[in-house]
Amino acid sequence: NSIANPVFHGAFYVTHGVGRRWIAGGHRGTVISILVTWVWTGSPYVVPSAMSKAGLHVMTKSLAVEWGRYGIRLNAIAPGPFPTEGASKRLRPGASFEDATASIPLRRTGQMPELQNLATFLMADGCDFLTGETIAIDGGGYLATGGSFTDLDKLSDSDWQRVRELIKGQNDKDRAGRAT
């Protein structure tokens, strides 16, 4: 529930609420969801996230058809490794995204302006005929590897404990920062 509630339920309720308002008011609109490449491949060790994001992938396709006649477009972005503090400390605790670049055909991580440019393109008036799509922006990573966390099979029980502690520490730090 700590993953499914905000990721799946939250995104569904917000999208549905905004869509109903736009339809009632006769407004056109664009919804962009941030997904993951796991919607196509699945991924070990992130099952609640993969399931939640896969549900949003299907929502994007389904509502694109239902709401197209109202001028409402839905698309999604599936980013690969874009290093941010939160992502690095939760998805690669004790390591970095740079460690994974050997398996990415473009041999690097993404840069935020690239992600911003894709989102801008999807929102642009000149992109009015694109709907119901999830676009991967991952340097070809998921095409080359088919999954993101298969290397975690190599972790020992003590490694897993250390990873859990690192993630918990980052979550606690983030919570404390929000409380002030």
Side-chain angles (χ1 to χ4, degrees), residues 3-165:
I3 301 296
N5 281 339
V7 174
F8 178 73
H9 297 117
F12 170 77
Y13 292 135
V14 168
T15 301
H16 197 252
V18 168
R20 279 193 324 232
R21 175 179 267 171
W22 287 343
I23 291 167
H27 303 289
R28 298 168 46 91
T30 302
V31 174
I32 298 176
S33 297
I34 302 297
L35 305 181
V36 291
T37 58
W38 319 327
V39 301
W40 297 296
T41 63
S43 185
Y45 305 105
V46 290
V47 172
S49 177
M51 290 174 62
S52 296
K53 297 287 188 169
L56 297 177
H57 174 68
V58 171
M59 177 193 78
T60 297
K61 292 184 169 306
S62 300
L63 291 180
V65 174
E66 289 183 33
W67 294 354
R69 65 182 159 174
Y70 302 109
I72 299 171
R73 298 183 308 112
L74 292 94
N75 289 296
I77 299 171
F82 279 77
T84 64
E85 181 181 355
S88 296
K89 293 199 174 166
R90 287 180 183 82
L91 299 176
R92 299 193 67 81
S96 77
F97 281 116
E98 298 301 326
D99 299 340
T101 58
S103 64
I104 298 171
L106 293 182
R107 301 292 189 260
R108 66 178 181 85
T109 59
Q111 299 171 8
M112 282 310 217
E114 294 168 318
L115 188 57
Q116 294 162 345
N117 289 341
L118 178 54
T120 300
F121 167 73
L122 291 173
M123 297 289 293
D125 288 338
C127 190
D128 288 336
F129 205 54
L130 180 63
T131 192
E133 295 301 321
T134 298
I135 300 172
I137 181 168
D138 70 343
Y142 99 90
L143 296 172
T145 64
S148 298
F149 295 102
T150 54
D151 58 331
L152 295 178
D153 277 343
K154 297 174 183 83
L155 296 181
S156 67
D157 289 344
S158 62
D159 291 334
W160 274 111
Q161 185 57 39
R162 187 174 71 71
V163 166
R164 285 184 193 98
E165 290 168 5

